[in-house]
Amino acid sequence: METTKTPADAHDSAFPLIISVDDHTVEPPDVWRDRLPRRHRDTGPRIVRAPLKEMTFLGGRFKPVMGDLGDEGPLGDWWVYEDLRRPLTRLDTAVGYDRDEIRLEVITYEQMRPGSYDVGHRLADMDVNHVQSALCFPTFPRFCGQTFTEAADRDLALLCVRAYNDWMVEEWCGPEAHGRLIPLTLIPLWDAGLAAAEVRRNAERGVRAVAFSEIPPHLGLPSVHTDDWDPFLAACAETGTVVAMHIGSSSRMPSTSKDAPPAVGSTITFANCCFSMVDWLMSGKFERFPGLKVMYAEGQIGWIPYILERADVVWEENRGWGGVAGKVHRPPSELFAEHVYGCFFDDAFGLRNLDAIGAGNVLYETDYPHSDSTWPKSREIGEAQMGHLAPDVVERIVRGNAIGLLGLTDDGLWPGGAR
């Protein structure tokens, strides 16, 4: 395995050790098998090796079809849960492959980089990439737990959410990680009261980040303009738990047509973040819950200045008939500065316009192990794109803002795992 400076000696570098606020874990096969009650072992999420019959990814929709054993087709490992058949794919774990070698294909655990699912190998790959600590979004549950929200058996789904969170806190971010992996937990999105209870349960063990949908109505859930989410939002505000929204957490990637190739959606992935941020800024929630913080993972930041400018103009000139006069009492740009964080891994344009965003509202990420990831050159890319910034500003973006937002130690570690 390639080696480079480890966190012990990397402080010699002029570029700060990275705290990535958007990486991913590919869940090991035993996450639910080992944690669900025995009666659910055969009905909860489990891995089956089977051939691929067909698979398409068009118009922002991913449609794989699993074959039967004995059928022709490439073998892959599939998550099986109720009627869902979801394969592991090369896009789930593409680091280490040349960009032109990456295809939409099914794979097995043996065919992926071990750092995708194994803590020890993950830390080694973080060392290679000048990364000290990382917060990881899920794979099989999808970015905010949509898999369980769509399940027919809600009692089992709730057990699955809790089992995932226990694995995330106790094992993925457990003693072996030495505080370098930062927990991100899920909630039962179908019940705001249960969601609030799960936020508080995890906050008691030091968790300060929870996944949520960028546009809940796309999942058949209430919008943030309703009061339905208030119990959940109150729990987040009271416990200092940041609401983390990843691109695609509405199960609908931006696209233009049913036959648009994935390259179209990949170019405009920021769009849902843009729509979502305007929702939040015009919802009145930040004024009702002053302690609330939200972050947009993998949304990049270059689009933010114009949206803030436009939102301020609309609020100033049209709030009388725009439906926000009674609930949004300050310019949206002010609310953004106090409550919203944009996350990026490759956005030279956004960094050139940092003054219009705010150095305190920007976080760095590496997107390991996805195909967009800057691994193993996140440091080099950061140095190239932030070279015009003062060292103290770089420090804030690369690690300081994340330390404050996620309740990490001054050294950049998760306190619950640094013991």
Side-chain angles (χ1 to χ4, degrees), residues 198-246:
E198 190 63 12
V199 167
R200 291 192 169 94
R201 181 176 84 94
N202 291 304
E204 288 177 358
R205 44 187 181 174
V207 177
R208 292 295 178 267
V210 63
F212 191 66
S213 174
E214 59 200 353
I215 307 178
H218 286 348
L219 305 179
L221 299 169
S223 78
V224 297
H225 300 289
T226 71
D227 294 334
D228 297 68
W229 294 108
D230 285 4
F232 163 67
L233 300 180
C236 291
E238 292 165 11
T239 60
T241 300
V242 62
V243 178
M245 294 170 283
H246 194 283

Side-chain angles (χ1 to χ4, degrees), residues 376-410:
K377 298 187 178 298
S378 301
R379 169 187 170 184
E380 289 84 349
I381 291 172
E383 288 176 329
Q385 296 189 352
M386 300 183 215
H388 64 293
L389 300 174
D392 63 316
V393 174
V394 176
E395 176 82 17
R396 292 181 70 184
I397 293 171
V398 174
R399 56 187 290 109
N401 292 335
I403 288 173
L405 182 64
L406 299 171
L408 307 181
T409 67
D410 290 342

Side-chain angles (χ1 to χ4, degrees), residues 12-163:
D12 294 337
S13 167
F15 194 76
L17 277 170
I18 297 165
I19 297 178
S20 174
V21 296
D22 170 33
D23 285 359
H24 300 265
T25 177
V26 176
E27 299 79 20
D30 60 359
V31 169
W32 291 277
R33 184 187 64 203
D34 290 356
R35 289 167 185 79
L36 290 175
R38 187 172 299 275
R39 68 184 184 278
H40 291 303
R41 298 285 169 82
D42 296 329
T43 55
R46 56 207 181 276
I47 285 289
V48 172
R49 185 159 293 182
L52 171 71
K53 195 170 184 180
E54 61 180 286
M55 181 163 57
T56 59
F57 189 13
L58 291 171
R61 299 291 186 178
F62 176 48
K63 295 181 180 179
V65 179
M66 187 175 83
D68 297 321
L69 285 177
D71 289 348
E72 292 186 1
L75 283 177
D77 285 335
W78 297 68
W79 282 105
V80 174
Y81 173 53
E82 293 193 340
D83 294 332
L84 179 64
R85 305 291 184 268
R86 199 284 191 190
L88 301 179
T89 76
R90 177 57 61 206
L91 298 187
D92 293 326
T93 171
V95 293
Y97 285 77
D98 184 88
R99 298 284 185 182
D100 291 335
E101 296 176 344
I102 299 170
R103 300 283 186 270
L104 180 60
E105 59 184 350
V106 297
I107 61 171
T108 65
Y109 278 93
E110 291 81 5
Q111 293 171 305
M112 71 172 68
R113 193 172 184 89
S116 303
Y117 61 87
D118 178 85
V119 171
H121 284 89
R122 173 60 65 92
L123 298 185
D125 279 355
M126 289 162 61
D127 291 344
V128 167
N129 201 30
H130 197 69
V131 173
Q132 178 187 31
S133 305
L135 178 139
C136 298
F137 284 82
T139 297
F140 169 70
R142 312 218 295 280
F143 295 141
C144 67
Q146 302 102 297
T147 296
F148 303 123
T149 303
E150 295 167 358
D153 186 340
R154 287 286 171 80
D155 292 334
L156 174 56
L158 179 59
L159 292 174
C160 288
V161 168
R162 290 173 174 166

Side-chain angles (χ1 to χ4, degrees), residues 272-283:
N272 280 352
C273 297
C274 171
F275 301 156
S276 174
M277 190 179 79
V278 175
D279 255 351
W280 282 92
L281 293 175
M282 299 298 188
S283 70

